[in-house]
Amino acid sequence: DELPPNPTNRGTVHTARVHPLRFTVQIYIMKLSILLALAALVQFADGFASTVRSNLQMSSVGLPKPPVVGPKNAAEVKAKFGDKKLVVITGASSGLGRKTTAALLRTGRYHVVGAVRDVDKMEAVAEIDQWPMDCFTTMECELNSFDSVREFCKHLDQWRGIKPVDRLICNAGVYQPSLPYAKWSADGHEQTMQINFLSHFLMISLLMDGMKEAPDPRIITVGSVTGNDNTVGGGGVYPIADLKTLEGFKAGFNNPVSMADG
């Protein structure tokens, strides 16, 4: 507490004794002020960084991606692929495709390209399964869209350069026998038919010529017991698959025609 003034000595400078509790409160208030100022500064910096990131992303929209340049001579092929055969497999992130990819990579004789719809999922699977990433490449391919298939084949050809595709495994597919309504592809076809068959046929037609340069090229299509009645469990999914006279194809096989048999 402050000392009372001394009337006999007006020129004397008086000191004040501050109560310890009041001094402690002042220190806490000062610290709190500093923390609030720092928090405001951090918030401002984060907002500024977000704005910069958004502007950079917006400025990159519409800009062409740099072209992928594949090996142009035997030495570059050797450096990129070694003596490995080049395999392309659709639907590599799950089921038979995942197991097939793992089996191929275990041999050490193949470089596998996983053509998948969900790139993030594929990369997560490759990490979980501990695939050798110097022998595995993920590429996006949405079989529900013919444009995506064409873009994938174009990207693949640029990336592989003069290295031919040795194996094409058409594995991906959807299976929805109990769905009460038709689902349509980006091109207006029934989704199961486009993903399982039409898009794979398009991929084969686009890649087949380039595969002729391989010493022993193979194209493998993965079938289903759905329409095969000579295997265990085959033909047990109703309605039984029957193309009949392809009346649906004759009608254009576009929405609303969902069945190949019409």
Side-chain angles (χ1 to χ4, degrees):
D1 296 24
E2 294 184 357
L3 295 172
N6 185 353
T8 62
N9 190 358
R10 298 183 183 275
T12 303
V13 177
H14 300 287
T15 59
R17 294 197 305 270
V18 180
H19 193 281
L21 180 59
R22 182 184 299 175
F23 179 75
T24 303
V25 170
Q26 290 174 344
I27 292 296
Y28 277 120
I29 291 175
M30 183 169 57
K31 288 183 177 180
L32 181 60
S33 300
I34 294 172
L35 290 175
L36 290 174
L38 288 174
L41 182 61
V42 169
Q43 186 175 8
F44 170 78
D46 184 62
F48 178 76
S50 298
T51 301
V52 171
R53 284 194 298 268
S54 298
N55 289 338
L56 289 174
Q57 290 171 355
M58 290 176 63
S59 64
S60 64
V61 172
L63 293 179
K65 296 180 180 179
V68 178
V69 179
K72 300 182 291 295
N73 54 56
E76 291 182 359
V77 169
K78 182 76 172 180
K80 184 170 185 175
F81 297 104
D83 296 323
K84 294 179 175 61
K85 294 182 181 297
L86 181 57
V87 180
V88 175
I89 178 169
T90 62
S93 61
S94 63
L96 290 174
R98 182 175 180 176
K99 294 295 185 181
T100 301
T101 300
L104 290 170
L105 292 173
R106 277 198 301 270
T107 68
R109 293 158 42 196
Y110 302 95
H111 187 111
V112 181
V113 173
V116 295
R117 175 182 59 85
D118 190 334
V119 172
D120 292 337
K121 177 184 176 182
M122 182 72 266
E123 292 178 349
V125 167
E127 183 176 352
I128 291 171
D129 290 356
Q130 298 182 333
W131 292 348
M133 297 310 295
D134 58 333
C135 300
F136 179 76
T137 302
T138 301
M139 291 189 187
E140 182 178 1
C141 182
E142 171 56 85
L143 293 169
N144 206 32
S145 164
F146 291 147
D147 284 344
S148 179
V149 174
R150 293 187 181 95
E151 185 63 26
F152 162 74
C153 292
K154 178 182 177 181
H155 182 204
L156 176 68
D157 285 342
Q158 292 174 339
W159 172 82
R160 67 178 179 84
I162 65 169
K163 169 71 174 177
V165 175
D166 295 276
R167 306 285 188 269
L168 172 59
I169 305 175
C170 300
N171 161 78
V174 295
Y175 180 59
Q176 301 167 323
S178 61
L179 197 68
Y181 55 88
K183 295 180 71 173
W184 305 99
S185 72
D187 302 284
H189 304 303
E190 192 276 321
Q191 190 178 82
T192 303
M193 182 66 80
Q194 175 151 346
I195 293 175
N196 295 14
F197 301 102
L198 302 181
S199 284
H200 277 129
F201 292 157
L202 174 61
M203 184 180 294
I204 290 171
S205 69
L206 293 173
L207 298 181
M208 188 184 303
D209 282 346
M211 295 182 67
K212 293 177 182 178
E213 303 301 321
D216 184 29
R218 305 287 181 87
I219 296 175
I220 302 99
T221 58
V222 178
S224 168
V225 299
T226 303
N228 187 358
D229 58 8
N230 64 357
T231 58
V232 176
V237 179
Y238 291 87
I240 297 295
D242 188 352
L243 298 179
K244 297 182 180 177
T245 58
L246 301 178
E247 294 298 324
F249 282 166
K250 293 177 183 177
F253 198 62
N254 288 318
N255 191 352
V257 179
S258 62
M259 300 297 289
D261 63 3

